[in-house]
Structures are given as C-alpha cells and as structure tokens.
Amino acid sequence: MNRRRFLTILGSAGLASALSTAKTAHAAGGTHTWPYHENSYGVLHDTTRCIGCRRCEAGCNKVNNLPKPDKSFDDLSVLDKNRRMTPTSWTVVNKYELNGKPVFRKLQCFHCNDPACASACFAKCFQKQPDGSVAYDGSQCVGCRYCMVACPFYVPSFEYDDAWDPLVVKCTFCEPRLKEGKLPGCVEACPMDALTFGRRSDLIKVARARIKNNPGKYVDYIYGEWDAGGTAWMVLAPSAPVAASKDSHQATGHEFASLGLDTHLGNRPMGELTGGALGAVPMIVAFWPVLFGGAYAIAKRREAMHKAETETIVKEAKEDMAAAMDAAVRKIAETQGPGMADTARQAMADALKARENTCANCGHHGEDK
Ligand code: SF4
Ligand code: SF4
Ligand code: SF4
C-alpha cells in the first residue's frame, strides 16, 4: 500500500479505517518490548575528547547529500546558541558548560533499543533493525507527528517547509553505509576519536575500561546503557564534582544534566511506557493520529478533492470518531476499570486541547486550521 492510497483510506473511511488499524496499533505499540539484538551496533560519544569542531556535522551533511547550511561548518559561532536537529541537519553539536569549562556534545537519534517513536506510530513507520538502527519509512506517514511528541530526546523533525509531501526526518545511523561495511559519516569524519563505532556490547566494555583506567576523568556512568531502556548511541561525560552544601549533598548525574541530557528517564523501555499510557488504551493509539492527523491528511489531498467533499468527510469522520471513542471508553471501563477509562478520557481531552493550541499558534497550513 503506498502512502497516497493509505491517506485515501484514512481520510475517506473514517471510523472503519480507525477501527481496523486499532489492532495493528496495539500490535505495534501496546504491551510489546522490542527484541534486544545482541550483536547490534552502536556509537559511544566520549565528550571528554570532543572539541566541538563540527566535522561530524559536515560528514553527515556530505554522506547524506543534505543541502548546504547557511553558515559553513567551519563557522563555530553557531555553538554560541544551543541548536536542535532539523530536516536538513540530522546531527548538531552543542556547547555546554561544566564547572566553568566548555564541553561539547553531539546530538542525533539515539536509536533506542525500544523506541518510543515506533511504539507511538500507529502507521508503523519506525522499525528497530537488527543492526541497531531505528529506520523510518515515510510511505505510510500521515504527518500526525506523534513520534515527535513521544521521543524523549526531541529527535524527529518535520518538513514544515514542504507543502505537498512533508515527512518526518531524523538520523538514519547511516544504515545504507553500514550495509556496505562503512562507518557512519559522522564517525568517519571525527578527527578526535570522540565517536567510537562498534557492537553495542563491546562499546559498553570500552566505556567501562576508559572509566576504570582514568580515575577522576569520567563520571562512572554510561548514559544510554540503561536510560530509556537502553540506546544504541551512548555518552560518556567528564567528571566535574561540585562542592557539597547543606542544600546539595549529592552531585551524581549533574554532569549529564549539564550536557542537556535527561537524567530522569528511568530504565524502563520508553516504548513500553508509551504503550502503557497509550497502548493500554489501544483505541487512543488508533484515534490519536486519525483525529489529529486525519483532517490534516485530508487537507493534504485538497488538490484532488472538492472543498465541500472535504468538509463532509471531516464532519462525518468527527461524528463517527466521537461515537466510537465513547464506545471505546465504555469498553476500557469494562475491561480495564474506571481508572483507565478516566485516563483515556483525560488523554483525549488533553490531546484535543494541545492540538487546538498548536493549530491556533503554529501559523502553518493557514487555510487548514
Ligand atoms: S531517540 Fe527518539 S527518534 Fe531516535 S529511536 Fe529513540 S525515540 Fe526514536
Ligand atoms: S549516523 Fe549518519 S545520519 Fe546519523 S548523524 Fe551520523 S552521519 Fe548523520
Ligand atoms: S567531529 Fe568529533 S570532535 Fe568534532 S564536534 Fe564532532 S564529535 Fe566532536
């Protein structure tokens, strides 16, 4: 099924489509935990070696044939401001400060072991691959952007500037290069050996050895070994003890937090958590993107549809889905108790509100609001 066909079914069939995808969504998300691939690859980013030269950004740009940036990769003034990934910058290096010293960290997709983006996507656009990469296939993407909400690292970006066929974009782990036995472009370009590519299990041993053999140099922790259920890309941070005060007895983790990393993600797989919140109410997983992406998906086909037809479909779809969601909440109350039904109802209300705010403020797709 190609993307256009998928959108057509989604937009036209309304409830029937949503109901039929509910099972798929549950299978894709819900209670699953992705199988852990023992021999999968990963990358260790040793921030004690990183000098913020941005060669990795240039390497990524080159091997992926991305558009030239406004400012050259030699221009380090961009480091004055922290940046996020964009559809044309799949990795960025940011400068942070630890005890008054600059520390640089490269941002890209972490290629999570159990990716939240995948569990959140009812169209199954994301797949964890045995090589460790999390691949995105946009052929069935409806542009709901729920993956962007779900990702704990704010990685996926959306091609807002593409009016006709916007997709979600993120680092691919250079999967095509891995298949050819080549290094990821960023790893190959790094002049400081700050990025080490290898089997994830070996990288953990390498990281432990560096920590052990360099007392006081590193925080005794490998970010990503367990965080968010484990990630293929992991980070080492320089140790930067802070003086204990009566208000601050414990500095553990502050280094990673100072590098812009979330130290409160916990060890439970994020996909499981997303599944717990949303997969436990599988109808929401199905309706969420349909509700919030459906009107948009229909609008995307506006060049092929008459305006009145669009309005009718949207109106009917909304009525159908409102009725089906009531039924879903009743069913959830029967099968999973009133607490979960309340959670489901609240989640829908919150999401609707968030969507309304987004539509009111974003300035995009003006006529689609
Ligand atoms: S970092 Fe975000 S986009 Fe990348 S695999 Fe994890 S959840 Fe998905
Ligand atoms: S792995 Fe490839 S796509 Fe990802 S940041 Fe490195 S060069 Fe870019
Ligand atoms: S190329 Fe290497 S040293 Fe330079 S910014 Fe990237 S990771 Fe750091």
Side-chain angles (χ1 to χ4, degrees):
M1 186 190 296
N2 66 26
R3 187 166 181 236
R4 181 161 291 273
R5 170 89 181 121
F6 186 71
L7 291 178
T8 304
I9 289 173
L10 185 68
S12 307
L15 174 65
S17 168
L19 285 170
S20 67
T21 51
K23 281 186 190 140
T24 312
H26 191 43
T31 54
H32 73 78
T33 296
W34 251 260
Y36 176 66
H37 300 287
E38 194 57 46
N39 287 321
S40 62
Y41 293 114
V43 170
L44 179 67
H45 181 31
D46 187 335
T47 60
T48 70
R49 298 181 177 188
C50 184
I51 56 172
C53 64
R54 300 185 67 210
R55 297 270 187 87
C56 48
E57 290 185 36
C60 179
N61 178 280
K62 187 175 168 199
V63 302
N64 292 298
N65 296 315
L66 298 173
K68 281 205 182 321
D70 292 341
K71 287 188 178 175
S72 114
F73 289 110
D74 296 331
D75 186 343
L76 300 186
S77 68
V78 298
L79 296 171
D80 293 341
K81 205 172 147 194
N82 280 358
R83 296 168 294 152
R84 282 179 60 175
M85 285 73 73
T86 70
T88 55
S89 307
W90 300 356
T91 184
V92 294
V93 177
N94 280 339
K95 181 168 75 174
Y96 303 91
E97 200 178 294
L98 256 184
N99 283 7
K101 291 185 188 154
V103 182
F104 303 92
R105 182 170 72 84
K106 176 183 176 302
L107 284 67
Q108 75 296 303
C109 174
F110 273 81
H111 299 278
C112 305
N113 290 349
D114 190 341
C117 55
S119 66
C121 178
F122 86 113
K124 295 208 282 186
C125 296
F126 296 86
Q127 291 287 339
K128 178 75 175 175
Q129 306 293 323
D131 65 8
S133 63
V134 173
Y136 167 74
D137 171 3
S139 60
Q140 295 193 359
C141 179
V142 299
C144 67
R145 286 159 282 158
Y146 191 60
C147 53
M148 294 169 68
V149 178
C151 173
F153 302 107
Y154 307 98
V155 169
S157 50
F158 192 65
E159 294 176 318
Y160 287 106
D161 291 339
D162 185 335
W164 299 110
D165 196 21
L167 290 172
V168 168
V169 186
K170 70 172 194 69
C171 154
T172 61
F173 205 157
C174 283
E175 204 196 8
R177 286 172 64 86
L178 298 191
K179 285 201 175 103
E180 293 172 15
K182 293 179 183 165
L183 287 171
C186 54
V187 176
E188 190 172 81
C190 178
M192 298 303 294
D193 218 6
L195 301 169
T196 307
F197 172 84
R199 302 268 179 217
R200 185 177 185 271
S201 49
D202 292 337
L203 293 176
I204 290 169
K205 290 179 196 151
V206 168
R208 290 232 173 86
R210 281 188 202 167
I211 293 168
K212 186 172 170 219
N213 296 334
N214 297 279
K217 183 176 180 184
Y218 295 97
V219 184
D220 186 5
Y221 190 82
I222 307 165
Y223 189 95
E225 182 181 6
W226 299 108
D227 303 81
T231 56
W233 288 59
M234 295 169 285
V235 182
L236 284 179
S239 173
V242 292
S245 72
K246 63 178 168 47
D247 300 322
S248 166
H249 304 293
Q250 179 56 273
T252 306
H254 85 98
E255 291 96 338
F256 287 105
S258 299
L259 298 186
L261 285 161
D262 191 333
T263 53
H264 298 99
L265 293 177
N267 295 344
R268 212 171 139 197
M270 291 307 288
E272 216 179 79
L273 286 179
T274 317
L278 298 173
V281 281
M283 296 299 287
I284 294 181
V285 179
F287 284 126
W288 194 299
V290 175
L291 255 184
F292 308 134
Y296 172 63
I298 291 166
K300 281 173 65 173
R301 296 187 299 130
R302 63 190 179 278
E303 77 277 14
M305 296 177 69
H306 190 271
K307 191 167 178 287
E309 188 188 354
T310 306
E311 284 171 358
T312 304
I313 288 172
V314 171
K315 183 170 171 287
E316 287 175 0
K318 277 183 176 170
E319 288 168 0
D320 285 347
M321 282 187 278
M325 281 195 300
D326 280 347
V329 169
R330 278 199 301 277
K331 192 169 174 196
I332 290 161
E334 281 167 28
T335 57
Q336 300 178 48
M340 190 56 83
D342 285 346
T343 304
R345 197 178 289 109
Q346 188 59 48
M348 288 185 232
D350 289 349
L352 270 171
K353 201 168 167 204
R355 178 64 185 182
E356 278 164 13
N357 289 341
T358 305
C359 284
N361 298 327
C362 82
H364 285 288
H365 314 296
E367 75 276 27
D368 300 336
K369 280 180 188 172

